[in-house]
Amino acid sequence: EEEDDHGTRLQLPSGGQLALADGQTSVEFRDVVYFDLALDYREATRIALAAGPDTSPETLGQAIGLFQALGKKVSVIGDVPGMIVARTVARLIDLAHEAVAKGVATEEDIDTAMRLGVNYPLGPLEWSRKLGKSWASSVLDEMHEREPSGRYAPSLALFRHAYADEKPEAGR
C-alpha cells in the first residue's frame, strides 16, 4: 500500500496500482485501475473498475481477480472521472449542502427525504459525514478540472463546508 498525492493506492503484483475513485482517470497515470465507491464493501455484490488504454492487461486482470476472490461480481466500465457511485454521491452531497445554505431544508430533513423518498441507504449529508468534510469537494474539483464546463464545479456552500476553519474560541 502506498500513499502519494493521489491518496492511498494498493500495489498489485504486476507493479500496477489499484485506487479508489477520486475524480481523476486511469489514463493520467501509468498502470492504474480505479474502483468505484461503495457504501459497504463487505456487503457489496458488484464492484465497478475502470482502466485506461495504457493499463496493462495483467494489472486489470489482477484487480478483477482480487475482487472476484472476495466474492464480488466485477463490471469494467469506461475510464470516466468519478466513475458512477463516487460521481453521483459527490454531486448529491454538493446539492445538499447548497440546499441547507439557502435555507431550503435542514440537514436532517434532506437526509430523511433522500432515505425515505428516494430509498437511498444514506442521505447525502450522512454520506458527507462518513466520507469526511473535504471528500466531495476534492472529487468534484478533480472532475471539474477534467470537464471545465461548470457542471462539476463545487458550490460555494460545499467549499465553505470543506475548507472553513473551526470557529475560534470566544475571547480570542
Side-chain angles (χ1 to χ4, degrees), residues 88-155:
T88 302
V89 170
R91 285 290 289 134
L92 288 170
I93 289 170
D94 185 38
L95 292 168
H97 279 288
E98 195 169 24
V100 170
K102 289 180 176 179
V104 172
T106 67
E107 289 188 12
E108 296 78 18
D109 289 344
I110 290 170
D111 283 343
T112 299
M114 295 302 283
R115 279 192 326 274
L116 300 180
V118 190
N119 203 28
Y120 283 4
L122 290 180
L125 297 151
E126 291 170 309
W127 270 105
S128 182
R129 288 186 290 278
K130 180 178 177 84
L131 295 168
K133 283 182 72 165
S134 64
W135 179 85
S137 183
S138 175
V139 169
L140 292 173
D141 278 339
E142 294 291 354
M143 289 172 54
H144 178 63
E145 187 176 315
R146 283 144 192 84
E147 190 178 317
S149 64
R151 179 178 185 182
Y152 299 112
S155 68

